[in-house]
Each structure stands twice: as C-alpha cells, then as structure tokens.
Amino acid sequence: MVKLIVYECRKHFLKTSVLLAVLLFSILSVAKIYSVYDGNSLLSKNYSGPEWNELYWEMYEDFGGKITDEKIGKLMTIYGPLEKQTADRTASTRTDNPDTYTGNVYNDRLFFDWCFVKPMKYAYMYRNHANDIVAAAKDNMDFYESVGNGYEYRKNAAIAELFKERAISHFSYTEMYQYYLHYDFSAFLVLLICLYGLMSVFVTEKETEMNTLLLTTKAGGRQTVIAKLIASTIFICMVCTWFWLIDFAAFSGIFGSLEAASSPLYAVENFANSSIAVSLGQYAFLSGMVKTAGILVLGLTFLLVSCLFKNALLPFIISLFSAFGLIYMEEAYMGSGHVLLKVINPFVLVVNRELFRKTEFVDLFGFPVLSYIPALLFAAVWGTVCIVAIAMLVRKNALSGKGVKKRVLMDL
C-alpha cells in the first residue's frame, strides 16, 4: 500500500506544472504580503516615512511590556502637550522643528496617538469591556430564568464563563497580527493549486482507458481508490502547510516583529469578542489547521465531481464555479446573524476568523454550542459523504466494467 501511495503521489502531484505553480504562487503570495505592509502599515516607509519605524521601536523600549501607571503617565506627559498644541490647528507646520520627535508637531501627535495611545488605551480598558459583558450576561441569566427560557439562560451562562477575568496586561506590537489574521489571498491560491492537481487523480485512467487494465490487477480496485485518496490528502496537507508557513514567515519578516505571539487573541481589537482565549501564536497554528481541514473537504468535493466525467476539463470548470459559489455564500452571510447558514458552508473553515472573532452559538437540541464546533462537525459530514460517494461511484464503474474485464482476461 505504501508503494502504491508513493506511486500515486509521483504520478499526479510531483509534476513540473504542479511544482511550478506552487513556486510561482508562493512568490505571488509573498509579494502580496509586502504590498499589504507597504500600503497599510503605520511603520512602512511608503505610508509614514522611515522616521516612524525608527522612532516606534525606540519608544517601544519604554512603553512595551507590562502596562503600568508609570508608563501611562509617561506617555500622557508626552501626548498631552501635543494634543493641546494641535487642538486649534494654529501650531507651526514646519517640518524641521528640533523640539519635536518627527520634525513636525502634527506628525508627532498622529504618531503617538495611532501607535501608542489608542492601542494602549484599548488594552488597558479591555478588562472593563469584558466585565461589562459578564455583567450583562448575568442580568440576562436572571431574566431568562424568570421567564423559563432554558436555552437563552445556558447561552448567557456560557458567555459569562468565557469572558470572566479576561484582561490584557501587556502592551505589544500587534500590527503584524492584525493583517495576518485577515489575510486570505494565499488560501485562494492553495484552492487553485489543489483544484488543478486533484483533477487528474481519477480522470487520468479514464482518459487513457487504463481503468480497464486496472481491473485485472490485484491492487486495481479498492486499494487503488484508497491509495488515491490518501495521496490526495497528503498533497493537500503539504501544500497547505507550505503556504501557511510561507505566510507566517513573510508577515513576521516583512513587519519585522513577533512581539505579540504570547499576547491573547483579543489583544487584536477586531477579536475583542472572540470565543476562544488563546494566544496569537497559538491561534496562528489553530487557524492553519482549521484552514487545512476546510480545503481538505473542498478537495474531496473536487475529487467527487471528477469521478463523474471522463476528461478533466469539464469537472475543473464545474468545481471552480462551485468553489466560487461557496465563496459567494460565505461573503453573503459573513457578519450576519444567520449562524447556521454560515457553519454549514465548508468554506467558513478556510476564512475561519468569522468563526473565532465573535462569540456565536448554534442551537443543537436545546443546547448552545459555539459556532466553530458545528462548523467542524458539518465539514466532517461533508467529507465523509464525499468519500462514500467516491467509493460508490468507483464501485459502480467497476461493476459496469465486469464484462470488459472478462474480455480483457480472455485476450490475455
């Protein structure tokens, strides 16, 4: 079986065209990440000039790390006068002022406001935000208990437990993670590579009529199908792992910092109401695993579609448009309250921040379940259905080919 799996991997995936696509798309992804940094980062030369980058890391030595009243006081000692000087917009606009950090008083205010004051305020005040959520959830628990609504009572109890004692005690540079957590371009590239590579797995033998000869071999039936599925899984996992590692390394290298790896996920403001309390470094790993699971289910769907045809072109087109359809559905329901319609779509695992950045529940037999759990369960069901359907289709083809098999044996 191992030799058969290796053979299938070499036959379908270790091809020049596939390897070239991986290489070119890797370069394209890194270029895209650099464009994200260059066009959006507060510390990029194109966005704010070189002085912000140097000044930020100089100031970070003073303000980074554990948040203390002393650090807050020191920051406000700098920012307070700047805010007063620029309040009526009558301060000098000269760009070579020696009494400023960046040469211009307005630029100084923007620098400290965007890079330190606002993010540190968010981190410092997050404890209050979490406490407010807990207090509201407990009030809701009392209300729903009084009206006998058990489901809503249990949901609010779960919310109160999730947000209890949440706080951000350290200030760290989270800008890299802000953009990393919202980067989906590489997932689309992976989807295209997997679609291209998987189309030949079951179609090749039909195109060359080798499927007739395979019926006469010992490993030409179920073992070949299992080997193809395992080889396809290995291919998908390897491509996904490669691109997720490239993404993380590129973001870390281009943005120049891994400072926030140990900070909680909700240190990124868009994840303030996250349903999971993991660090940003742990989430990077978790997100990659969930993305891989989503693309694996989509890959099985591509394989199932390819089993229905005798050439690769038509299933490629159908699978491509099906993928676009799932992407459209994901975009249509993203941010909406239709949680069930979101979680039944396997593509939600690929863009999984929608599952983790908010605390949403699905009603399963009267019990509130965090949305990412049903999403994974539905994906497992879709994957199982695809595998069973592939096995049935291959078996049907084998049964319909019994007469051919007998003729082949007679000829041999």
Side-chain angles (χ1 to χ4, degrees):
M1 176 61 76
V2 174
K3 290 183 178 179
L4 190 57
I5 294 171
V6 172
Y7 171 75
E8 290 292 338
C9 287
R10 290 178 176 175
K11 178 181 178 182
H12 298 293
F13 308 124
L14 291 180
K15 298 188 294 188
T16 302
S17 57
V18 174
L19 297 177
L20 186 60
V22 171
L23 177 61
L24 291 177
F25 281 10
S26 298
I27 297 172
L28 182 60
S29 182
V30 173
K32 176 64 175 179
I33 292 169
Y34 182 79
S35 71
V36 170
Y37 168 78
D38 194 49
N40 299 280
S41 174
L42 293 174
L43 306 184
S44 72
K45 294 180 180 180
N46 185 52
Y47 191 91
S48 59
E51 65 274 2
W52 277 37
N53 192 308
E54 297 175 5
L55 181 60
Y56 180 87
W57 294 113
E58 181 182 338
M59 291 296 170
Y60 189 80
E61 294 292 327
D62 294 330
F63 301 120
K66 187 175 179 61
I67 300 174
T68 63
D69 292 338
E70 181 184 355
K71 290 181 180 179
I72 295 174
K74 184 176 180 180
L75 177 60
M76 295 312 297
T77 299
I78 298 174
Y79 181 72
L82 292 172
E83 190 176 31
K84 291 179 180 179
Q85 291 178 51
T86 58
D88 57 3
R89 299 186 180 183
T90 59
S92 172
T93 58
R94 59 183 294 193
T95 58
D96 58 349
N97 189 338
D99 297 326
T100 61
Y101 291 91
T102 62
N104 177 269
V105 66
Y106 293 99
N107 203 23
D108 278 7
R109 181 191 174 182
L110 291 177
F111 170 80
F112 283 100
D113 189 28
W114 292 351
C115 294
F116 290 99
V117 175
K118 286 181 178 178
M120 189 176 289
K121 180 180 179 181
Y122 166 75
Y124 183 78
M125 298 298 294
Y126 184 82
R127 183 192 297 273
N128 294 337
H129 172 73
N131 289 339
D132 289 343
I133 292 176
V134 172
K138 288 182 177 180
D139 289 341
N140 290 338
M141 289 169 61
D142 293 336
F143 171 75
Y144 287 117
E145 185 179 28
S146 67
V147 297
N149 190 330
Y151 172 77
E152 289 295 335
Y153 174 85
R154 287 188 288 269
K155 185 174 79 171
N156 281 276
I159 293 173
E161 184 63 26
L162 283 172
F163 284 85
K164 182 178 65 176
E165 298 180 357
R166 278 193 182 185
I168 303 173
S169 59
H170 287 68
F171 172 74
S172 55
Y173 173 68
T174 60
E175 190 183 44
M176 185 276 279
Y177 282 98
Q178 289 174 12
Y179 293 106
Y180 172 76
L181 298 180
H182 294 81
Y183 183 71
D184 300 321
F185 183 65
S186 62
F188 178 69
L189 298 179
V190 169
L191 205 60
L192 292 179
I193 292 173
C194 290
L195 176 59
Y196 173 71
L198 294 172
M199 280 301 99
S200 65
V201 173
F202 286 101
V203 171
T204 301
E205 284 82 4
K206 294 179 183 179
E207 289 180 331
T208 60
E209 298 185 355
M210 281 294 294
N211 58 325
T212 303
L213 293 177
L214 286 175
L215 292 173
T216 66
T217 65
K218 292 182 179 180
R222 185 175 62 181
Q223 288 187 343
T224 299
V225 175
I226 294 174
K228 287 179 180 293
L229 290 174
I230 294 175
S232 299
T233 301
I234 293 172
F235 169 68
I236 293 172
C237 291
M238 290 185 67
V239 172
C240 288
T241 301
W242 170 256
F243 273 89
W244 309 156
L245 290 175
I246 286 288
D247 287 351
F248 191 77
F251 269 99
S252 302
I254 293 173
F255 278 80
S257 176
L258 283 173
E259 284 290 322
S262 60
S263 297
L265 177 60
Y266 43 82
V268 175
E269 192 166 355
N270 197 35
F271 285 75
N273 299 320
S274 174
S275 59
I276 55 175
V278 298
S279 70
L280 286 166
Q282 291 170 335
Y283 180 76
F285 176 79
L286 174 64
S287 177
M289 294 290 289
V290 175
K291 281 183 181 181
T292 302
I295 292 179
L296 184 59
V297 174
L298 294 174
L300 290 171
T301 305
F302 299 156
L303 288 174
L304 175 59
V305 173
S306 70
C307 288
L308 300 172
F309 300 90
K310 293 184 178 181
N311 62 75
L313 180 59
L314 191 56
F316 180 87
I317 295 173
I318 293 174
S319 297
L320 184 61
F321 278 96
S322 298
F324 284 146
L326 293 175
I327 294 172
Y328 174 79
M329 288 178 59
E330 170 63 19
E331 291 290 334
Y333 292 108
M334 183 179 291
S336 72
H338 303 287
V339 183
L340 186 60
L341 292 177
K342 287 191 288 187
V343 300
I344 62 174
N345 184 351
F347 194 78
V348 75
L349 299 183
V350 181
V351 190
N352 54 66
R353 66 174 174 276
E354 185 66 13
L355 293 175
F356 297 119
R357 73 181 181 89
K358 295 188 293 184
T359 301
E360 295 180 319
F361 296 88
V362 173
D363 185 352
L364 290 183
F365 308 107
F367 290 91
V369 180
L370 287 168
S371 60
Y372 62 83
I373 296 176
L376 291 169
L377 292 176
F378 277 119
V381 170
W382 294 134
T384 302
V385 168
C386 288
I387 292 173
V388 172
I390 290 170
M392 292 176 63
L393 282 172
V394 172
R395 183 183 179 187
K396 180 181 178 181
N397 292 337
L399 290 174
S400 64
K402 278 187 175 180
V404 176
K405 179 178 180 179
K406 290 179 180 179
R407 291 197 299 272
V408 171
L409 289 172
M410 290 176 63
D411 294 338
L412 292 175

